[in-house]
C-alpha cells in the first residue's frame, strides 16, 4: 500500500493547529496546593489529558481514563501492544515571555506557547499520525495505544500508575525529544541538601529564592539581606554585573537590601545551555561575611556547585564513551532566616557511574543529603527492529542518509519500556526551547513530524 504521508499531513494542518490551540490554552502545570480526588495533580494536568481524550472520542477511537492521572487512546487489537507515550503537563512558564505562554501565538510560521515543543505539539502530531492511519482504513495487526501522562515534568505519577495496572507494552516510542532517534537515556537522580537557619550579625541572609523545578536551570533569583554598609554593598553588586553574564537589580528598602538576578532558563539535561541565576547570586553573596548556616548555604551554592555542570569540584565527574558525561543542575535554592535552607540538585549520569557514587560525593560536602528520586540508565541496542524501522522511516521522509541513534541526558517515558525509544519531534539544527521562555516549534516541522509518525505507526503496526 502506497501512501503519501506528507500530503496527508498537510491536509490536516488547519485542524491540527486548532486542536493545538485548545491544548496550549490549558495551563497544565502541576499544582499540589489545589489537588483533589478529582484532580490529584491539580486541575490543569487532568484537564489537558481529558482534552486529548475528547479528541480521540470525537474521532471514533476507544478512550480510557485511569484515576484522573493518565489516559489512553486505543486503536486495533491483538496480544502485542505498540505504545506511544506523550504527556499533557507542562513546566511553569517562568519569566521573560514576549507572548502569553498559555495562548497559541503564530509568528513567522512558528507556534509559540508553553507546550508547543514539550510536549503538546509533538504528542498531538503523533495522535494525528494515528488518526491518519485510521482514516486510511488500515487495520493494525496489534493494539496501538497513545498514552497521555499528566506529570512527566515532576514525578511521572500517572505513567508509573499505568505500568502498575496495565501490561508492559511490547515496544514503543515517546515523541518527546529529538530526531532522528534516541535509544539511550542517562540515569536521573535528584538530591536535597538541607541547612539550618542560623545567621551572623554583620551580614544577615533574610531570604533567598531561586528555581521552580529541579529539571530546569533557574532563570531568576532573589535575595533579601541586611548589611553593615549598604552603599558599599550596592557598589559591589554593580561591579559583579559588569563582570558576569547575568542581569540584575538592587534596591535598599526598609526591610533590607533586595536583590534580583536574571540568568537564562534551560532544560536540566544540559545545564550549559542556561545561566543559573541562583548560583550566580549565591556567588556574589559568598564574598561577604555571612556566618553559620547562611554562610554554609552560600558557600556550597556559590562556590562548590557554581558554574560546574560536570561536577568536577565534588569529584562526581565521569564520562562514558557511549553515554557521555555526568551532568549536574542546581535547580532549586531556598533560604529563610526562620525556616532554614535547601539546595536541590539533579544529576544525569551514564552507565559506569551511579546514584550511590554521586550521593557519596555529595555527603562529603554536606552531612544532610537525601536522595529524592532516581531512575537508572536506559539503553536499547542499535540492532533492535524498532530502532532500524524508525530510522528507516526518518530517512525516507527527510532524505537524510546513514543517520545514527543518539544517547542523551534527557529522560522520557520511553525508558519505562524495555524496548522504548524517544523519537522526535525536534529536528536537527532547530533551536531547543524546551523549559525556556518563548518556547516555540516551527509549524512546518510539526507537520513533517506528523507525516513521520503516520508512516512509523503504519510500519510498526504490521508486527502481529
Amino acid at each position: 500500500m502506497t501512501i503519501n504521508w506528507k500530503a496527508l499531513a498537510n491536509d490536516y494542518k488547519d485542524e491540527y493547529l486548532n486542536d493545538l490551540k485548545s491544548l496550549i490554552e490549558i495551563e497544565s502545570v502541576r499544582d499540589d496546593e489545589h489537588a483533589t480526588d478529582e484532580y490529584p495533580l491539580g486541575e490543569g494536568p487532568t484537564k489537558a489529558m481529558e482534552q486529548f481524550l475528547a479528541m480521540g472520542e470525537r474521532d471514533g477511537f476507544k478512550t480510557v481514563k485511569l484515576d484522573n492521572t493518565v489516559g489512553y487512546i486505543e486503536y486495533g487489537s491483538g496480544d502485542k501492544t505498540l505504545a506511544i507515550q506523550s504527556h499533557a503537563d507542562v513546566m511553569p512558564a517562568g519569566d521573560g515571555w514576549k507572548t502569553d505562554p498559555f495562548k497559541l501565538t503564530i509568528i513567522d510560521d512558528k507556534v509559540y506557547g508553553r507546550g508547543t515543543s514539550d510536549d503538546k505539539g509533538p504528542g498531538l502530531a503523533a495522535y494525528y499520525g494515528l488518526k491518519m492511519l485510521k482514516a486510511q482504513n488500515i487495520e493494525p495487526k496489534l493494539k496501538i495505544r497513545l498514552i497521555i501522562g499528566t506529570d512527566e515534568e515532576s514525578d511521572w505519577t500517572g505513567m508509573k500508575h499505568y505500568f502498575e495496572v496495565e501490561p508492559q507494552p511490547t515496544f514503543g516510542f515517546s515523541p518527546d525529544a529529538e530526531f532522528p532517534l534516541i535509544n539511550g537515556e542517562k540515569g536521573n537522580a535528584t538530591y536535597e541538601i538541607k541547612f539550618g537557619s542560623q545567621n551572623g550579625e554583620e551580614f544577615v541572609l533574610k531570604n533567598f529564592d531561586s528555581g521552580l523545578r529541579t529539571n530546569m536551570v533557574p532563570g531568576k533569583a532573589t535575595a533579601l539581606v541586611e548589611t553593615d554598609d549598604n552603599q558599599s554593598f550596592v557598589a559591589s553588586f554593580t561591579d559583579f554585573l559588569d563582570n558576569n553574564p547575568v542581569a540584575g537589580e538592587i534596591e535598599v528598602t526598609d526591610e533590607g537590601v533586595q536583590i534580583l538576578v536574571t540568568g537564562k532558563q534551560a532544560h536540566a539535561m544540559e545545564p550549559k545551555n542556561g545561566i543559573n541565576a541562583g548560583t550566580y547570586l549565591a556567588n556574589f553573596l559568598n564574598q561577604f561575611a555571612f556566618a553559620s548556616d547562611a554562610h554554609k548555604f552560600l558557600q556550597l551554592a556559590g562556590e562548590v556547585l557554581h558554574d560546574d555542570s560536570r561536577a568536577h569540584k565534588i569529584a562526581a565527574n565521569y564520562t562514558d564513551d557511549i553515554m557521555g558525561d555526568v551532568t549536574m543542575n542546581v535547580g532549586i535554592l531556598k533560604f529563610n532566616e526562620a525556616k532554614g535552607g535547601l539546595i536541590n540538585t539533579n544529576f544525569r549520569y551514564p552507565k559506569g557511574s551511579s546514584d550511590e557514587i554521586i550521593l557519596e560525593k555529595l555527603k562529603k560536602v554536606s552531612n544532610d543529603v537525601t536522595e529524592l528520586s532516581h531512575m537508572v540508565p536506559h539503553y536499547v541496542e542499535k540492532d533492535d527492529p524498532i530502532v532500524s524501522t524508525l530510522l528507516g522511516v526518518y530517512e525516507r521522509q527527510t532524505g537524510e542518509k546513514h543517520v545514527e541513534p543518539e544517547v542523551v541526558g534527557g529522560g522520557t517515558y520511553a525508558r519505562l519500556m524495555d524496548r522504548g525509544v524517544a523519537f522526535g519531534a525536534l529536528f536537527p539544527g532547530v533551536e531547543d526551547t524546551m523549559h525556556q521562555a518563548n518556547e516555540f516549534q516551527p509549524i512546518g516541522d510539526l507537520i513533517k513530524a506528523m507525516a513521520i509518525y503516520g508512516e512509523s505507526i503504519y510500519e510498526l503496526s504490521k508486527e502481529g
Side-chain angles (χ1 to χ4, degrees):
M1 185 175 185
T2 302
I3 301 173
N4 188 334
W5 295 101
K6 291 181 181 178
L8 275 178
N10 194 61
D11 289 342
Y12 281 103
K13 176 180 175 180
D14 291 342
E15 185 179 347
Y16 168 84
L17 290 174
N18 188 59
D19 280 345
L20 182 58
K21 176 178 180 292
S22 71
L23 288 170
I24 299 301
E25 289 175 349
I26 301 172
E27 190 172 344
S28 51
V29 178
R30 178 169 174 163
D31 182 8
D32 292 329
E33 185 178 348
H34 297 98
T36 65
D37 290 342
E38 184 178 7
Y39 303 119
L41 304 169
E43 183 176 358
T46 301
K47 286 289 189 182
M49 180 262 290
E50 289 174 339
Q51 182 67 14
F52 261 108
L53 297 182
M55 294 173 190
E57 292 172 3
R58 174 197 67 193
D59 297 329
F61 291 102
K62 173 184 175 181
T63 64
V64 174
K65 182 169 60 173
L66 302 171
D67 296 334
N68 294 320
T69 61
V70 65
Y72 62 84
I73 297 168
E74 183 176 287
Y75 183 50
S77 60
D79 295 332
K80 295 183 178 181
T81 302
L82 163 62
I84 306 163
Q85 299 166 298
S86 182
H87 65 91
D89 62 302
V90 296
M91 293 293 288
D95 299 316
W97 284 80
K98 297 178 181 179
T99 65
D100 185 338
F102 298 106
K103 180 180 179 180
L104 189 72
T105 305
I106 299 176
I107 303 173
D108 297 330
D109 294 321
K110 299 173 183 175
V111 282
Y112 286 81
R114 183 56 98 212
T116 51
S117 182
D118 181 20
D119 183 43
K120 293 176 179 177
L124 187 63
Y127 169 71
Y128 266 77
L130 182 62
K131 180 175 177 175
M132 290 190 294
L133 195 77
K134 183 175 182 291
Q136 295 300 303
N137 296 313
I138 297 171
E139 292 291 337
K141 295 182 179 180
L142 44 62
K143 187 185 305 174
I144 305 172
R145 284 185 177 177
L146 174 65
I147 311 169
I148 304 110
T150 56
D151 188 28
E152 194 273 345
E153 301 295 4
S154 295
D155 299 327
W156 294 20
T157 306
M159 195 62 71
K160 288 179 180 177
H161 177 63
Y162 175 90
F163 277 78
E164 289 170 356
V165 300
E166 294 287 337
Q168 167 87 215
T170 311
F171 57 178
F173 66 87
S174 178
D176 188 22
E178 306 166 359
F179 286 125
L181 182 141
I182 292 167
N183 67 325
E185 299 178 4
K186 294 179 184 177
N188 189 325
T190 298
Y191 307 89
E192 182 168 278
I193 304 170
K194 290 187 176 180
F195 302 83
S197 60
Q198 295 298 309
N199 261 289
E201 297 181 359
E202 186 178 358
F203 287 86
V204 178
L205 183 59
K206 301 182 74 173
N207 196 70
F208 189 109
D209 189 11
S210 182
L212 299 169
R213 298 283 177 84
T214 56
N215 60 348
M216 189 177 185
V217 177
K220 179 181 177 181
T222 60
L224 179 65
V225 304
E226 291 181 357
T227 85
D228 64 347
D229 186 346
N230 288 346
Q231 185 176 355
S232 175
F233 187 83
V234 170
S236 296
F237 185 68
T238 301
D239 289 342
F240 179 80
L241 294 180
D242 288 340
N243 292 285
N244 288 279
V246 292
E249 299 174 10
I250 191 166
E251 180 183 6
V252 179
T253 71
D254 292 340
E255 296 181 345
V257 182
Q258 183 72 49
I259 312 167
L260 167 67
V261 168
T262 303
K264 180 184 177 184
Q265 294 176 359
H267 196 299
M269 71 176 179
E270 183 41 271
K272 286 183 177 180
N273 291 337
I275 300 172
N276 195 313
T279 65
Y280 268 98
L281 177 53
N283 180 257
F284 166 70
L285 294 175
N286 188 48
Q287 66 183 293
F288 299 99
F290 289 90
S292 193
D293 295 317
H295 167 70
K296 293 176 184 177
F297 171 83
L298 293 172
Q299 183 180 48
L300 184 60
E303 180 180 330
V304 179
L305 302 180
H306 173 60
D307 196 24
D308 187 22
S309 68
R310 269 51 184 174
H312 287 276
K313 296 176 189 175
I314 64 170
N317 56 296
Y318 180 81
T319 301
D320 175 76
D321 290 341
I322 295 176
M323 303 192 82
D325 298 335
V326 166
T327 64
M328 175 186 69
N329 179 56
V330 186
I332 298 176
L333 306 95
K334 294 183 181 296
F335 188 91
N336 181 273
E337 63 178 335
K339 299 177 181 178
L342 63 84
I343 298 174
N344 283 13
T345 56
N346 177 247
F347 287 79
R348 313 294 172 105
Y349 67 89
K351 55 185 178 67
S353 184
S354 70
D355 64 314
E356 292 92 348
I357 291 174
I358 295 168
L359 181 60
E360 177 187 353
K361 301 298 184 182
L362 285 173
K363 284 183 174 179
K364 290 183 178 180
V365 297
S366 175
N367 58 8
D368 192 350
V369 186
T370 303
E371 183 177 281
L372 299 181
S373 64
H374 172 235
M375 292 183 287
V376 299
H378 171 71
Y379 189 75
V380 178
E381 295 294 337
K382 290 172 62 174
D383 59 0
D384 189 292
I386 190 171
V387 175
S388 57
T389 297
L390 294 180
L391 287 180
V393 171
Y394 178 83
E395 289 186 348
R396 287 194 296 275
Q397 288 285 333
T398 64
E400 296 180 36
K401 300 297 182 184
H402 310 298
V403 296
E404 292 290 330
E406 304 173 57
V407 174
V408 298
T412 72
Y413 285 148
R415 70 192 307 145
L416 295 175
M417 295 183 286
D418 294 338
R419 297 177 62 207
V421 298
F423 190 48
L426 189 69
F427 285 89
V430 177
E431 182 182 358
D432 181 357
T433 56
M434 298 181 193
H435 296 198
Q436 299 180 36
N438 304 306
E439 179 182 347
F440 76 88
Q441 192 85 319
I443 295 173
D445 284 2
L446 288 167
I447 304 307
K448 185 162 58 172
M450 189 195 305
I452 291 173
Y453 291 140
E455 183 178 354
S456 296
I457 296 168
Y458 170 61
E459 292 296 332
L460 294 174
S461 73
K462 295 177 181 178
E463 182 173 325

